[in-house]
Amino acid sequence: MIKKCLFPAAGYGTRFLPATKSMPKEMMPVVNKPLIEYGVEEAIDAGMDGMCIVTGRGKHSIMDHFDKNYELEHQISGTNKEELLVDIREVIDSANFTYIRQREMKGLGHAILTGRELVGDEPFAVVLADDLCVNEGDGVLAQMVSLFKQFRCSIVAVQEVPEDETHKYGVISGEMIKDNIFRVEDMVEKPEKGKAPSNLAIIGRYILTPDIFELIEGTEPGKGGEIQITDALLKQAKSGCVLAYKFKGHRFDCGSVEGYIEATNYCYENLYLKDDKVSTLGKQATQKSQK
Ligand code: G1P
């Protein structure tokens, strides 16, 4: 039902300089996989097959990653290293990747509007790849898709954060209509300290109905002089309905060094070591280095 997922990926990733000076922040590896691949896998697991990526200057390696690399594949063909490409090959075979360049950085709302040509006139998901989300059961997007089937309106994923951190996020308030589901009444982008309407912070997973594009077009620059998706969503909430969903799972802010390290440790212990093929290869590598 929701087939397309938009990835705003034009940002500079300044919090990770110098690593991101020439490498897109979306390509930072968490253990052995780039951040954006986790997001794409989450979208595929939620039934999506159209990955719409909004890129900018210097982001070519994202396109190369989701494409064949004949030279490398020829080189390792027939060796046990080939197993390490199983996941990315599956990703490439399961989805179509389309790209559009955002020429100017005018905020998340503007990035989403830039993706309009790729998304068309249908409900779609948005993933901010530096929010890495993992869950043992259904992924966060899959949880949101089942909610969308029920309510057919835009949905933002939220999580409770400590009060002294609300200024880093879009923050919602609203009436709880069911366990973990709120009908949004207010929404503020990065509220000043002490002025947040609640401690429910938006994290980088959205499902948006296509009328959002016109609402973004009519949205003036807000916080930081940027066109904010939060402001367009508040208009949608006031004229119709927007839900906020307290999702099941862990979320790591991989845009910060601390969150990135936490994600790396978590994924190493809970995903990498449990993956048969990589752990076998990993063990061989360890044995070699001990010799
Ligand atoms: C963006 C959104 C913000 C949201 C956050 C989640 O902010 O504007 O509402 O809470 O993503 O990561 P950014 O972190 O890109 O400044």
Side-chain angles (χ1 to χ4, degrees):
M1 172 200 286
I2 294 188
K3 300 308 282 180
K4 291 189 179 165
C5 185
L6 187 75
F7 294 80
Y12 295 125
T14 45
R15 285 189 289 171
F16 255 103
L17 284 169
T20 47
K21 190 166 169 249
S22 64
M23 178 179 71
K25 63 173 176 169
E26 296 77 14
M27 290 302 290
M28 298 265 298
V30 171
V31 191
N32 61 340
K33 221 183 255 186
L35 263 175
I36 191 164
E37 193 179 328
Y38 288 91
V40 169
E41 285 181 353
E42 190 186 323
I44 292 173
D45 288 344
M48 297 165 206
D49 61 6
M51 305 301 148
C52 310
I53 306 187
V54 179
T55 66
R57 279 181 291 280
K59 302 275 185 170
H60 280 109
S61 56
I62 299 179
M63 280 183 253
D64 290 340
H65 187 71
F66 295 112
D67 194 1
K68 278 198 185 300
N69 179 341
Y70 288 105
E71 211 176 303
L72 169 78
E73 299 194 21
H74 174 74
Q75 191 73 33
I76 65 171
S77 155
T79 74
N80 61 355
K81 297 267 167 54
E82 239 187 324
E83 284 179 55
L84 295 174
L85 291 181
V86 167
D87 286 0
I88 182 67
R89 280 182 179 156
E90 214 174 288
V91 162
I92 293 170
D93 289 343
S94 316
N96 266 319
F97 292 82
T98 53
Y99 300 87
I100 194 162
R101 291 262 290 229
Q102 186 185 6
R103 288 188 297 273
E104 296 167 283
M105 303 312 158
K106 293 196 208 156
L108 181 56
H110 179 253
I112 293 173
L113 185 60
T114 305
R116 184 182 199 165
E117 290 298 315
L118 304 180
V119 167
D121 191 25
E122 54 185 276
F124 62 102
V126 176
V127 166
L128 307 185
D130 49 14
D131 277 334
L132 176 61
C133 293
V134 286
N135 186 37
E136 276 180 17
D138 279 350
V140 177
L141 277 186
Q143 297 167 39
M144 292 171 81
V145 166
S146 27
L147 210 61
F148 180 80
K149 284 183 185 157
Q150 234 179 305
F151 291 93
R152 312 264 167 171
C153 65
S154 291
I155 306 168
V156 296
V158 292
Q159 129 180 112
E160 286 185 45
V161 298
E163 252 173 60
D164 60 354
E165 286 187 22
T166 49
H167 67 285
K168 299 184 195 162
Y169 298 92
V171 181
I172 70 109
S173 67
E175 183 202 349
M176 187 156 93
I177 55 170
K178 252 182 167 189
D179 272 358
N180 300 322
I181 305 172
F182 302 80
R183 192 189 168 113
V184 172
E185 281 157 11
D186 197 11
M187 214 175 209
V188 186
E189 181 64 17
K190 304 200 175 79
E192 315 269 302
K193 282 194 178 166
K195 291 201 177 146
S198 78
N199 67 340
L200 288 170
I202 302 171
I203 63 111
R205 300 290 181 279
Y206 304 75
I207 287 192
L208 302 175
T209 52
D211 53 310
I212 197 71
F213 292 124
E214 273 180 26
L215 293 169
I216 301 173
E217 272 177 338
T219 300
E220 296 294 322
K223 192 83 187 181
E226 297 187 329
I227 297 171
Q228 300 293 351
I229 188 63
T230 310
D231 296 340
L233 276 164
L234 179 60
K235 286 195 254 174
Q236 203 179 35
K238 296 236 147 116
S239 61
C241 179
V242 171
L243 297 180
Y245 169 59
K246 222 164 91 183
F247 60 92
K248 297 186 183 70
H250 297 273
R251 168 259 178 180
F252 301 95
D253 173 15
C254 291
S256 76
V257 173
E258 296 72 19
Y260 178 75
I261 300 296
E262 271 175 45
T264 303
N265 289 332
Y266 182 93
C267 292
Y268 178 68
E269 275 163 32
N270 295 282
L271 306 177
Y272 182 82
L273 288 182
K274 290 186 181 157
D275 187 340
D276 289 342
K277 57 184 183 301
V278 281
S279 51
T280 319
L281 285 167
K283 272 181 216 147
Q284 286 170 359
T286 319
Q287 279 159 8
K288 263 190 209 155
S289 64
Q290 282 166 351
K291 275 183 192 164

